[in-house]
Amino acid sequence: MSAALTSFEPATGELLWQGTASDVATEVARACAAWPRWAAQPIAYRIETLRRFVNVVRANEEALADLIARETGKPLWDARTEVTAVMNKVDISVAAFSERTGQRRLEAAMGARQSVRHKPHGVMAVLGPYNFPAHLPNGHIVPALLAGNAVVFKPSEKTPAVGEMLVRLYHEAGVPEDAVRLVLGGPDEGKALAAHPDVGGILFTGSAQTGIAINRQFAANPGKILALEMGGNNPIVAWDTADVPSAATLIVQSAFLSSGQRCTAASRLIVKDELADTLVGEVKKLADRLIVDHPHADPAPYMGPVIDNQAADQLTESFLYLMSNGGKPIKHMVRTTKGLPFVTPAIIDVTAMAERPDIELFGPLLQVVRVPDFESAIREANNTRYGLSAALIGGSPEQYNQFWANIRAGIVNWNRPTNGASSSAPFGGVGISGNHRPSAYYAADYCAYPVVSVEIEQPRASIGVGLKDIDTSTMGD
């Protein structure tokens, strides 16, 4: 008997969705049977089908945004931006497919032609996160389908309702039902899907712990492609700037947008000593004004709850740990509603901590580190195993060039938030943030593999050296 599954609204605690766990083997088998037919369709057909998907999403735009807001707790305006990103992904993926995996023809010797074309991997497993339950898996699924793969998608067990609706919209648009399959369930179903021998690739977004486990599991199986996006412990460095209010705004956006539940959110503010009191004071004043409320509240909140009480408990415990190990609270993290995962944005100065934990604190918790000079700022920014996103606020063009050249991150911004990544650019990190397979515009790279062919219509060949002479004495008249 399949296990019962439930999803509750973080902001209210009310039951939102019920379902049952999927049979992984059945779903993979259906995708395996479907993908050759889907791959054989002309690329123009696959493009047209996915453009119909955009129209279907547009027709359901408000319903999808409302569901995302209810299931994740993010403000409705934030959920609407996610739905817009889902729709924009198709045209971006079409352009990327043409540019990065398009067909090339070159001249070869003896009048032959040389072709470079790309083939799909087959069945791709997409393991989605809860913070962007539509946009991030869609960022894998659309390019995978364009390339001719079939997809088996397992949404986070914390956001199954959005995953179910997303798959239904693909099917309504005309993507064959067996070309996109849905697996519902928890970690056991995720492990079974990743380990299935008929899955040719795993496209994962989630924690470093899980991503590293996947990487280790398939170390002896290089035939299975892995694209791993595993979060960050992201630094935002604040240096000399005359516009302190704008700098504070960029820091608040980096640390507290989506309740800090973005893999590109700033976890560490590294600030010049002489600037620290003024700037951190401005950041606190702005953070004090942020409205934390349910997704549909009026006035609109800047932040909703975090995903669940377990996440809220971990964040408050992390704040207490930092405080009891040398951290100096600037703005306390407070649970505002009993029994629900609402937390206020928190700021703590950890400069005096002997050992600062190098972990991803997935929520609105900003650590401040004061440094005496720019070289120290860069060293502190790089003092992490992660390497997803980093930003410099203020500073001179020369300092930004130094920052860009020396920082270890896949996204490096200047006077923009750490979470200002675009879907029309590559998205990925180094260290334990990723495995050098960036997504977004570069997703085309891991959804198909290049095949080179040298081709000529008639066989033509000769061997010019290394042959014995023909012995004519044994030949008849």
Side-chain angles (χ1 to χ4, degrees):
M1 181 180 292
S2 297
L5 305 172
T6 53
S7 176
F8 295 88
E9 295 186 26
T12 65
E14 294 178 3
L15 180 65
L16 176 69
W17 176 95
Q18 295 182 85
T20 56
S22 304
D23 183 83
V24 172
T26 298
E27 300 305 329
V28 173
R30 292 184 66 171
C32 284
W35 87 261
R37 186 179 299 109
W38 175 249
Q41 296 289 351
I43 180 60
Y45 177 88
R46 298 199 297 271
I47 290 172
E48 181 59 31
T49 302
L50 288 167
R51 285 190 167 142
R52 286 199 304 273
F53 166 70
V54 176
N55 294 333
V56 171
V57 173
R58 187 172 289 114
N60 293 271
E61 187 170 358
E62 198 59 23
L64 180 56
D66 180 73
L67 184 60
I68 291 170
R70 291 184 185 280
E71 192 162 43
T72 64
K74 68 174 63 175
L76 184 59
W77 62 264
D78 199 359
R80 285 172 174 151
T81 65
E82 179 171 353
V83 176
T84 298
V86 168
M87 293 187 287
N88 290 344
K89 185 63 189 178
V90 170
D91 279 346
I92 290 170
S93 297
V94 169
F97 179 88
S98 175
E99 178 183 320
R100 301 194 64 78
T101 58
Q103 182 171 322
R104 295 179 59 204
R105 291 198 180 276
L106 306 168
E107 291 302 315
M110 300 178 67
R113 63 180 178 269
Q114 182 169 270
S115 298
V116 178
R117 288 166 283 192
H118 291 76
K119 289 185 177 184
H121 295 281
V123 175
M124 306 290 271
V126 173
L127 305 179
Y130 64 77
N131 59 331
F132 285 88
H135 168 52
L136 288 179
N138 185 68
H140 290 309
I141 294 169
V142 166
L145 290 173
L146 276 177
N149 299 282
V151 171
V152 182
F153 165 43
K154 185 203 167 293
S156 167
E157 58 270 24
K158 298 183 180 185
T159 51
V162 173
E164 186 178 69
M165 183 174 182
L166 185 64
V167 170
R168 176 170 59 79
L169 297 178
Y170 292 126
H171 294 161
E172 286 185 16
V175 177
E177 288 198 5
D178 287 351
V180 179
R181 301 303 304 164
L182 178 70
V183 164
L184 296 169
D188 289 344
E189 283 73 22
K191 291 174 184 175
L193 177 58
H196 198 289
D198 292 334
V199 168
I202 301 164
L203 313 181
F204 168 80
T205 307
S207 71
Q209 181 181 1
T210 303
I212 290 168
I214 292 171
N215 195 59
R216 185 181 295 117
Q217 180 180 358
F218 297 105
N221 188 356
K224 191 167 291 198
I225 191 163
L226 307 179
L228 308 174
E229 196 279 282
M230 300 181 288
N233 183 13
N234 306 303
I236 185 165
V237 174
W239 218 247
D240 298 316
T241 176
D243 192 347
V244 172
S246 289
T249 300
L250 290 167
I251 292 162
V252 165
Q253 289 173 335
S254 297
F256 304 135
L257 189 63
S258 303
S259 300
Q261 295 177 122
R262 293 190 176 207
C263 52
T264 49
S267 302
R268 299 175 292 140
L269 169 59
I270 300 162
V271 59
K272 187 177 183 179
D273 245 329
E274 291 90 336
L275 180 64
D277 288 342
T278 301
L279 179 58
V280 173
E282 285 292 320
V283 172
K284 181 184 183 300
K285 283 195 292 186
L286 187 54
D288 285 340
R289 294 175 56 203
L290 297 181
I291 298 172
V292 183
D293 208 338
H294 69 82
H296 299 80
D298 185 16
Y302 189 81
M303 288 170 42
V306 294
I307 190 66
D308 57 23
N309 283 318
Q310 180 185 14
D313 290 342
Q314 288 173 344
L315 287 164
T316 52
E317 288 166 10
S318 295
F319 188 86
L320 290 172
Y321 173 86
L322 295 173
M323 191 169 61
S324 60
N325 284 272
K328 179 183 176 182
I330 296 167
K331 179 175 170 56
H332 282 267
M333 177 171 283
V334 178
R335 295 288 293 272
T336 61
T337 309
K338 185 178 180 180
L340 295 175
F342 287 94
V343 296
T344 59
I347 307 169
I348 186 166
D349 190 324
V350 297
T351 307
M353 285 188 69
E355 292 186 13
R356 292 183 280 275
D358 183 23
I359 58 175
E360 183 178 34
L361 297 173
F362 207 58
L365 175 49
L366 179 64
Q367 302 162 82
V368 177
V369 182
R370 299 166 180 249
V371 292
D373 53 62
F374 198 65
E375 287 69 24
S376 299
I378 291 176
R379 281 197 302 272
E380 187 60 47
N382 282 333
N383 186 23
T384 175
R385 299 166 297 158
Y386 293 88
L388 182 57
S389 183
L392 172 65
I393 308 300
S396 66
E398 292 76 18
Q399 285 173 320
Y400 175 64
N401 288 339
Q402 181 184 356
F403 182 79
W404 190 96
N406 290 281
I407 209 73
R408 293 196 309 273
I411 301 162
V412 181
N413 295 336
W414 186 25
N415 290 322
R416 300 300 301 154
T418 56
N419 45 22
S422 168
S423 293
S424 58
F427 182 90
V430 296
I432 62 170
S433 288
N435 67 330
H436 297 278
R437 295 197 184 278
S439 61
Y441 199 78
Y442 279 30
D445 295 19
Y446 55 69
C447 289
Y449 63 94
V451 178
V452 62
S453 309
V454 179
E455 304 159 348
I456 193 169
E457 292 184 2
Q458 295 293 331
R460 292 171 61 186
S462 63
I463 299 175
V465 295
L467 296 180
K468 295 178 180 179
D469 290 335
I470 298 173
D471 186 355
T472 58
S473 65
T474 62
M475 298 175 63
D477 293 334

